[in-house]
Amino acid sequence: MTDVIVIGAGPTGLMLAGELRLYGVRVLVLERTPGPVDQPRGQGLHTRSVEIMDQRGLLDRFLAISEKFQVGGFFGGIHKDWPATLDTAHPYGLAVSQPATERLLREHAERLGAEIRFGSEVTGVEQDEDGVAVGLADGTRVRARYAVGCDGGRSAVRKAVGVGFPGEPATVETLLGHMTLTEEPETIAAVVAEVRKTQLRFGAHPLGGGEYRIIVPAESVSEDRAAPTLDEFRARLRAYAGTDFGAHSPTFLSRFTDATRQAERYRVGRVLLAGDAAHIHPPTGGQGLNVGVQDAFNLGWKLAAQVAGRAPEGLLDSYEAERHPVGAALLDNTRAQIMLLGTEPGAVALRGLLSRLMDFEDVNAYMTGLATAVGVRYDLGDDEAGLLGRRMRDLPLPGGRLYERMRSGRGVLLDSTASLSVTGWSDRVDLVPTERALLPSPALLLRPDGHVAWLGTEQSALRAPLERWFGAPTL
C-alpha cells in the first residue's frame, strides 16, 4: 500500500513529495489536470524559499534559469533598498515562473522515486483507523496510510473532511494578464509611472518580444470568477491610462481578489492540508507559492517519521501548531498590504508614514523578513539570544557549508565544545564539530528543516530535545 497520497501537483505538493521520498516514504501524487499547466501565476522565490532549495541541493538548478532580485521592504507597494542586516547568507529572491518552479520540483521528486499521475481528479476522501481511501472521477479508488490536500483554495480534500474555511469575502478585484502591446516601450513606461502615482494596483512589466505582464483594477468583484476577456482588459486600461496600448494576442488572462480565508484545522486524523488548501489571500508581496513550499518543508520530515513509526508523541500535530500561526500572520500582512494599496486619503497617508518608518534599517529589515519568511520563529521556548525556533542561516563549517550538510534531511548538532554526543540518535542526527567563532552559541541542535531546537553545553540537557524531535534513542 502507498504510504502517502498527495493531492495536487503544484509547488506545495511537489515539494512535499520530494521531502517524503527523501526519507523513503512511498508517495503517489494525484493531479486533476491532464498535464503540467503552463500558466504564469507565481513569479518568484523569496529568500526563505531560496534557502530551502539550497538545503535540498536544488539551488544551482534554480539559479541556472532565474534572475536574482533585491527589493527590500516590498510591503504594500513601498520599495526600499535591500536591508543590509537581514539575517541570511542568501540576500536575494529569484525571478522564476511557476511553471519552471514546478518543473524543477517535479523532476526532483521523480528522481527520488515519487509517482505522479496527471488526469486524476479526486472526488472523495474517506478515512478509517488504518488509512485513507481516495475516490477518483473515473470511479476507481486508491488507498494510503495518509493523505495530504495540496489542491488549492477550492480544495476537494478540505471539503471532504469537513474542515471550515472562515475568513472575509472579496471586496476588490484585480485583472492579471500577459499580452502583446504595440505602443512604444518608452510611452508605456511613462504612462504607467504617471498612473502609479495614484493607483498602485496598475502596472505593465515587459516580458520580452513586445509581451507585457499587465495588472489593472477590475470594474467590480465578479460573481462567477470566469476568466476575463481581452476586451475587459482593454476597457480597464483605457479607464485608468486613457489608452489600451494596442493590447492584443493574450497568452494568459486571470483575475484575483482580496479574499482571505484559513482552514480551521490543518489535520483531521490521517488527512492533512497544506498550501492554498489551508489558506488563501491576496497575492500582494508574492508570498503564496513560497508559503506553500514552506508548509511542505515543515510537514515532510514529520509525516515521514510518523509513517516510519518513530515519530515521538505530538510531532505530527506540531505541523499545525507551527504553521497555522504562520498562515494567520500571512493573512494579516496581506490584508494590511491591500489597505496600503488603496487610493483613499487615509491609505495614502498611512503608506507615506510607513515609508518614512522603513527608512530606519531595523524597520526595513523587519518588514522584509516578514514578507520573505526569514523572520518566522516557531514557539519552541525562550532563550537570551532569541535563537530557539528560528531557522539557522547558512554558515561556513569545517569542510563545507551548513546547508550542504543538511541535504540528507537529517538533524544536525553543531558542537564547538567537543563534549556532546548524539549516541542513540546517530541514525537520525549528524554531529558536526565546529569552531566556536563560527556559531552564535557553543552548541546548536537543528531540526531537519533547519530550525533551532536546542542550544547549550550540557549533555544531560540535550536528551529531552533529541527525544522530542527525533524520537526514542536506538539501543
Side-chain angles (χ1 to χ4, degrees):
M1 181 172 65
T2 298
D3 293 319
V4 178
I5 295 174
V6 176
I7 297 97
T12 302
L14 293 170
M15 185 72 204
L16 179 59
E19 286 296 286
L20 292 170
R21 282 302 305 154
L22 189 64
Y23 301 97
V25 175
R26 293 167 295 183
V27 180
L28 171 62
V29 181
L30 301 176
E31 169 56 44
R32 65 177 180 82
T33 63
V37 177
D38 189 21
Q39 290 187 348
R41 291 165 289 178
Q43 290 294 304
L45 298 179
H46 289 325
T47 302
R48 179 54 187 148
S49 297
V50 171
E51 292 180 338
I52 287 172
M53 299 310 161
D54 193 11
Q55 286 175 257
R56 290 301 181 259
L58 296 173
L59 183 54
D60 286 346
R61 291 185 173 92
F62 277 91
L63 288 172
I65 62 169
S66 309
E67 292 185 6
K68 293 181 179 180
F69 64 85
Q70 286 186 329
V71 183
F74 49 95
F75 193 92
I78 302 169
H79 295 263
K80 299 291 181 181
D81 291 335
W82 185 269
T85 58
L86 196 68
D87 180 32
T88 181
H90 294 284
Y92 56 87
L94 291 178
V96 54
S97 70
Q98 182 164 330
T101 296
E102 291 180 359
R103 175 176 61 81
L104 292 180
L105 292 178
R106 183 170 59 253
E107 291 172 352
H108 172 64
E110 289 178 330
R111 276 195 304 271
L112 292 174
E115 179 184 357
I116 301 173
R117 295 184 192 173
F118 287 95
S120 299
E121 182 178 358
V122 171
T123 57
V125 176
E126 298 177 355
Q127 61 177 312
D128 53 38
E129 292 182 358
D130 299 319
V132 182
V134 177
L136 303 177
D138 63 4
T140 63
R141 287 161 63 93
V142 288
R143 188 170 174 83
R145 297 171 65 186
Y146 291 87
V148 185
C150 305
D151 52 339
R154 301 180 184 181
S155 171
V157 177
R158 187 187 65 240
K159 295 172 184 176
V161 295
V163 173
F165 204 41
E168 294 82 45
T171 61
V172 297
E173 184 170 280
T174 306
L175 305 183
L176 172 66
H178 289 197
M179 61 199 70
T180 300
L181 305 183
T182 58
E183 185 60 82
E184 292 295 324
E186 296 80 6
T187 300
I188 295 171
V191 172
V192 169
E194 185 63 28
V195 175
R196 284 182 60 84
K197 290 179 180 179
T198 56
Q199 177 52 263
L200 292 176
R201 289 192 297 123
F202 184 93
H205 177 73
L207 301 174
E211 189 175 25
Y212 282 75
R213 181 178 176 88
I214 301 296
I215 181 171
V216 60
E219 184 176 7
S220 60
V221 177
S222 61
E223 295 293 332
D224 57 7
R225 297 299 309 281
T229 64
L230 177 60
D231 286 341
E232 187 176 354
F233 266 90
R234 286 171 169 165
R236 300 312 295 159
L237 286 169
R238 289 193 295 269
Y240 280 92
T243 174
D244 61 15
F245 302 115
H248 67 92
S249 304
T251 58
F252 170 69
L253 300 175
S254 182
R255 64 176 85 239
F256 63 87
T257 72
D258 63 339
T260 55
R261 297 186 182 277
Q262 184 177 24
E264 291 178 329
R265 302 174 63 185
Y266 283 15
R267 180 189 179 191
V268 178
R270 293 178 174 268
V271 179
L272 300 103
L273 302 171
D276 288 351
H279 39 71
I280 62 167
H281 55 89
T284 313
Q287 299 172 83
L289 181 155
N290 290 270
V291 174
V293 165
Q294 293 152 25
D295 283 348
F297 199 57
N298 181 285
L299 174 59
W301 63 280
K302 298 174 180 178
L303 183 53
Q306 186 79 12
V307 168
R310 56 175 175 78
E313 184 177 357
L315 180 65
L316 189 54
D317 285 331
S318 74
Y319 164 65
E320 177 178 320
E322 292 176 356
R323 295 305 295 176
H324 197 280
V326 171
L330 168 68
L331 266 60
D332 280 347
N333 90 54
T334 53
R335 286 184 184 109
Q337 291 190 68
I338 285 293
M339 294 293 291
L340 289 168
L341 293 176
T343 58
E344 61 275 12
V348 173
L350 186 59
R351 189 165 62 244
L353 173 60
L354 184 56
S355 179
R356 292 190 294 275
L357 287 172
M358 287 169 59
D359 288 333
F360 293 97
E361 174 73 11
D362 287 350
V363 178
N364 189 11
Y366 173 81
M367 302 304 288
T368 304
L370 186 68
T372 62
V374 169
V376 168
R377 181 184 185 185
Y378 300 138
D379 185 12
L380 306 186
D382 296 318
D383 64 286
E384 291 185 4
L387 292 172
L388 274 176
R390 293 194 182 279
R391 98 282 176 264
M392 181 55 59
R393 62 178 289 158
D394 195 17
L395 298 171
L397 299 175
R401 298 184 290 114
L402 172 61
Y403 285 4
E404 292 172 335
R405 297 298 300 260
M406 303 195 74
R407 291 175 181 172
S408 64
R410 294 159 58 90
V412 175
L413 177 63
L414 301 173
D415 178 27
S416 69
T417 71
S419 64
L420 299 176
S421 168
V422 292
T423 300
W425 290 271
S426 58
D427 58 335
R428 287 155 279 173
V429 181
D430 292 328
L431 175 62
V432 181
T434 310
E435 300 172 17
R436 176 66 182 92
L438 299 177
L439 301 180
S441 176
L444 296 159
L445 177 64
L446 306 183
R447 308 186 321 185
D449 58 2
H451 284 257
V452 178
W454 176 83
L455 62 160
T457 58
E458 299 298 327
Q459 181 71 40
S460 59
L462 178 58
R463 183 181 182 90
L466 283 170
E467 290 183 337
R468 177 182 180 184
W469 299 112
F470 300 99
T474 302
L475 302 178

